[in-house]
Amino acid sequence: MGKKELAALFSSDPDRYYRVSLFDKMSFSRRKCGRCEKFFWTLDSGRQFCPDHENYSFIGRPPTSKRLDYVNAWKETDKFFRANGHTIVRRYPVVCRWRDDLYFTIASIVDFQRVVGNQVVFELPANPLVVPQMCLRFNDIENVGLSGRHYTGFCMIGQTCNADAPGGYWKDRCIELDYGMLTQGLGIKPEEITFVEDVWIGAGAFGYSLEYFVRGLELGNAVFTEFEGDENNYRVMPNKIIDMGAGLERFSWITTGTPTSYDCCFGPVVDKLIDATGTDRNPELLSKYFGAVSSKLEHTGSMRELKSLIAKEMRIDGDKLAAMVTPYEAIYTVADHVRTLLFAISDGALPSNVGGGYNLRVILRRALSILERLGWKNVKVEDIADMHIDYLKQMYPELEEHQQDVRTILQLESSRYVGSRERMNSIATSLKASSKKAELSVDDLIRLYESDGITPDFLVEQGVIPGVPSTFYTKLAELHTSQSAAGAQANKPIRGLEGLPSTKLLYYEDESIREFEAKVLKVVDGKFVILDQTAFYPRGGGQEPDTGKIQGAKVVEVTKHTDVVVHKVDDNSAAKLVEGQIVHATVNARRRDLITKHHTATHVLNSASRNMLGSWVWQNSAFKEESYGRLDITHHSALSKEEVQKIEHSANRVIRGNHPVIIKTYDRGDAEQEFTFRIYQGGVVPTSNVRIVNIKGWDIEACGGTHVRTTGEIGLVKIVKSERIQDGVVRLEFVAGEAAINRMQQQESQLAAIAQALGSSREKVIESFNKAMDDAEAAKKKIRTILRVVAGAMAGNVSAQAKKLASGVRLYSTYDEELDEDYHIAIGEKAIELDPALVYVALVSKGQGIRVIVFAGEQARQKVKAGAIAKQVSGKLGGSGGGDDRFGQGGGRSKDRIKEALLLAEEAAK
Ligand SMILES: [Zn+2]
Ligand SMILES: [Zn+2]
C-alpha cells in the first residue's frame, strides 16, 4: 500500500480519522474536491474545489486587519500557545548533530527524533511544546528568490506533543488550538479556513493529517502520528505524537499580503538592499508580477515559461519586464542565502567542498556571483548578515553572540571566491568553446567541482550546461558518505558469539583496575576469548585497545561486538584457556596510562582550538595511541605556527590547572538540554543514556573512552605537527605525558648528534649549521671554477676518444659513478665547441637513479638531435627525458640497463 491507497483508506472512514470536535462544533462540512477528489472541510457552502487549485488571492488584500511582520508573527504565536499551556522551547541548531543521517535540521520534528538501535524514537523536552525551528533545505535552490515563497532557510513553527504522556492532547485539541491561532492570533475569519485530509509517512511511523489553507496558501499541517511499522504491517503506537508544522514566513505573509513573502519576512533587510543598490521602486508592477508568479508557479512547468506567460498577460515586453524584476529577484535570493549562512555558521558549520558544507559554499558562491553580475560592488555579504542579526536578535538572541565569527567566515570565503573566479572563468570559457560541453557527464561535473571548485550552478550560469543534473547532488553526497564509511574501522564479524550474555565492563566501573579475575565463557576458533567481565578496553571511539595477558595468554586485540567484548590472543597461547575456567588477567598498565593521557588531551586540545580559533571548530575525528594522539578539527585554513603555539599554551595551562575530570551518565535528553549539542564532538550517541566527560570549566563531551582523574595527570601536551588534510579539516598530531618527554629527549639527542658532527655546541648549532652550508656553497663554486679552467684540456681528450660512426657523427659515451652532472655539463659543452661533429652522452650515477646528459655539436645536429637521444635513453632506463637539438637531459632508475642504454645511444646516432 502506497501513500495514495493509505489516503483512500483513511478518507474512507472520516469519522474515525478526520472528524475533530471543532468541525462538529462549528458545523464544518466535508466535501470532495471536484478536480482532484481530495476531501476537505469548510464553512464556505459555495466551495467546490480544494485550495490546491486556488490563486493566492491574499496578495494585495490580506484577509485580516492585523499586519504582522516576521518577528511579530512569532510574538503572536508565542503568546497564543504560551497562554494555552505550551512550553516555548528555544530553537535547536540548524546543524543536526544528533542524527548522523542528516546534515541539517529539515523539519521541527527532527529536533525530537533520536535514533536508538535502528529505530527512530521521540524525545520531547516538554509536553506540549512549541519551537520556532529554523530549517535548512537545499532541494529547491533554483526557485528561491524567484517564486515569492521558496527558501533555503525558513522557520517551521513546531507544535509537538506526546498524546499519551502528561500534558499531552490528541487531534481535537490540536485542531482547536490551530484554529484559535488563525482566528484569534492572526485575526482570520473562520470561513476563510479550509482543512484538507492528507497522510504522512515517516521513518518507521505514519499517520493522517489535516493541512490548513487560507486563500490558497497552505499555512500548516497537523500530523497525527498514530501508527508504527509500515503501511502493510502496523499497530497503534503506545505514545502517539502530534507533529504540527506551520511556516512562520506564511503566517506573516497572509497578514501582510505583500507581493512576495520575502518582503515581510526579511524585515528591513529588503528595503535596505533596495536603497543600497539603487534599485527602482515600482510597487504596482512588482505586486502584479509576483502575485501572478506565486499563484501560478505550481501549475506551470518552469520559471522561464511562467515569465513569458505573465509578460503576455501584463502586455509588457519580456525583456523590459525582466529588467524590472531581476534586481528584486537578486535581492530576495541574496537575502535568503545570507540568512541561511548566518544560522548555519552561527551553529558551527563551515562552507567547504564536503558534506553539508558543500551546500553552504554553493549558496554563498551563488550570492556572490549574483552581486557581481549586477555590479553591486558596495554590497557585502557580511554586512547583509549584520542586517539580519539586527532584525532577528529579538527572536534569536544567540545570533548576536556569533556576529564576529560569521563575518570572519563570510569575508574569508568571499576572498577565496574572488581568487578562484578567474580560473573558473577560463575553464568555463574553454569548455564552452570545446565540443565536449554537450557530453559532460555527472562524473565530469563532480570532477570539475572537486578538483577546480566549479559548481554546476556556475556552469549553468555560464551557459556551458543547460541545467544541473538531478543526480549531481545525490551522487556527490553518496561519494562523501562512502568515503567516511571507508575511513571508519568496522569490527570484522566473528561467528559463534550468538547467545552470549553482555560482558560486564569493569573499565567503566573502575578505570583504575589493571588486574582482575574472570570466567572464560567461550573460546572461538582457538583465539577469540570471551569472559564474563573484563577490564580490557576494546577498540572504539578512536581509542586503541588495551593489551595484556589472560592467564599467561597474550592479548593482542580487543573488540566489542554489540555487548560482547572479544579478546584475541596470539596463536600459541590460546590452548591454555578452557571454557568455564576462572582466569587471572592483567592489562598492560603503561600502555593504558599513555593512551588515557592522549585521550583526555584530545578533549583539552579540542576546546583549546575552539577557544583560540572560533566557534566553527568541532572534532571531525580523533585517534589515540600509546605513542601519540591525533585530533582532526573543522577549520577553514591551515594553522600558522603562532596559532599552534597559542593552542599548545592554552592546553598546557589547563593541564597545569589540574581541573577535575568528572564522568557521569545522564539521560540523553537531559544532557542535551543541560550541555547543548556540543556534547556530540565524537558523533551521535545511539543509546538513551550518555556518558558525559566533563573537564570542569573547560570541556564537556559525550565519550565512552578512558580518562585521567584530573588534567594534571596528563603532565604535558606538545603538538608535533599540524596539517590541512582536506577542505575544512585540519589535523593536529600531538604527544602527551611520558610520550611527550620521550619525544623531546629524542629530539634533544638528535640535536646533540648534529652539534657534535658540526663540531659545535647545541647552543650554537644554528650558527654552525649556517656556516657549514656557506662553506659547502663556496666549495661548489670553487669546483665550478676549476672545471671551467680544465674543461678545455679534458674536452680535447674526449674528442680524441670519440668513436666515428657511419653517419659521420663522432660519438663519445660514458657511464660515470664518480663525477657528477655539473662536471659532465661543463665538459660536454666545451667538447662540442671544439668538435662540431661530436655527440656527447653521459650517464651519471645519482643516488638511486641515473642522470642522462646529451650534447650534440653543430654539425652532428644535422643528423641527430640531443633531446631525442636523451628521451630514448631515459626511456630505456625506465624514466623520461627530452630537450632541444643541442642539449638534452633526463634520467631513470633501472641501473641494470646501463649497457643497453649506452648501446641504444650509439644506435640512435648511427
Ligand atoms: Zn483538489
Ligand atoms: Zn573522548
Side-chain angles (χ1 to χ4, degrees), residues 55-70 73 148-149 151 186 188 214-215 217 219 248-265 283-292 294-295 332:
N55 284 343
Y56 284 2
S57 55
F58 64 92
I59 292 180
R61 40 183 201 98
T64 160
S65 56
K66 287 196 185 180
R67 297 285 177 270
L68 302 170
D69 72 346
Y70 194 63
R149 61 186 159 88
Y151 291 84
L186 303 182
I188 294 166
V214 173
R215 299 212 183 165
L217 183 67
L219 293 177
L248 180 60
E249 282 75 10
R250 288 163 181 225
F251 274 17
S252 172
W253 196 16
I254 195 79
T255 73
T256 55
T258 47
T260 74
S261 72
Y262 314 124
D263 298 299
C264 54
C265 293
E284 207 180 315
L285 176 124
L286 288 171
S287 210
K288 248 183 172 168
Y289 170 77
F290 282 107
S294 302
S295 298
Y332 298 146

Side-chain angles (χ1 to χ4, degrees), residues 541 543 599-600 602-603 619 622 624 682 691 693 701-707:
Q543 178 170 338
H599 194 145
T600 310
T602 314
H603 290 221
Q619 174 178 312
K624 305 88 166 180
R691 188 171 180 262
V693 177
E701 295 179 24
C703 176
T706 61
H707 290 279

Side-chain angles (χ1 to χ4, degrees), residues 33-38 49-53:
C33 174
R35 288 199 192 150
C36 69
E37 309 207 319
K38 265 190 188 171
F49 307 115
C50 80
D52 262 355
H53 320 286

Side-chain angles (χ1 to χ4, degrees), residues 861-902:
R861 293 206 279 274
Q862 291 165 11
K863 305 277 179 192
V864 293
K865 315 291 177 202
I869 295 177
K871 187 177 173 191
Q872 281 187 46
V873 172
S874 301
K876 190 56 148 183
L877 295 169
S880 60
D884 58 22
D885 296 358
R886 181 182 158 274
F887 173 64
Q889 58 180 331
R893 289 184 159 264
S894 311
K895 284 202 164 164
D896 54 324
R897 294 210 202 127
I898 287 166
K899 239 188 205 158
E900 293 168 58
L902 289 171

Side-chain angles (χ1 to χ4, degrees), residues 610-652:
R610 179 163 52 251
N611 293 343
M612 202 54 68
L613 302 170
S615 61
W616 53 81
V617 171
W618 278 72
Q619 174 178 312
N620 189 64
S621 68
F623 179 75
K624 305 88 166 180
E625 168 61 295
E626 201 177 325
S627 57
Y628 81 108
R630 200 169 66 205
L631 169 67
D632 293 351
I633 55 171
T634 52
H635 183 59
H636 48 70
S637 312
L639 299 185
S640 68
K641 202 169 111 197
E642 290 70 30
E643 284 171 325
V644 170
Q645 288 178 344
K646 277 185 183 168
I647 293 168
E648 219 168 55
H649 271 304
S650 151
N652 280 298

Side-chain angles (χ1 to χ4, degrees), residues 380-414:
K380 302 270 177 266
V381 285
E382 59 270 26
D383 297 335
I384 303 175
D386 284 349
M387 294 177 200
H388 279 304
I389 294 176
D390 224 28
Y391 177 57
L392 291 172
K393 65 185 175 194
Q394 335 168 42
M395 197 174 154
Y396 299 121
E398 69 279 8
L399 295 176
E400 211 173 9
E401 286 165 36
H402 299 291
Q403 186 152 15
Q404 199 44 53
D405 285 345
V406 173
R407 282 193 79 89
T408 305
I409 298 300
L410 290 179
Q411 280 169 340
L412 179 89
E413 278 290 314
S414 302

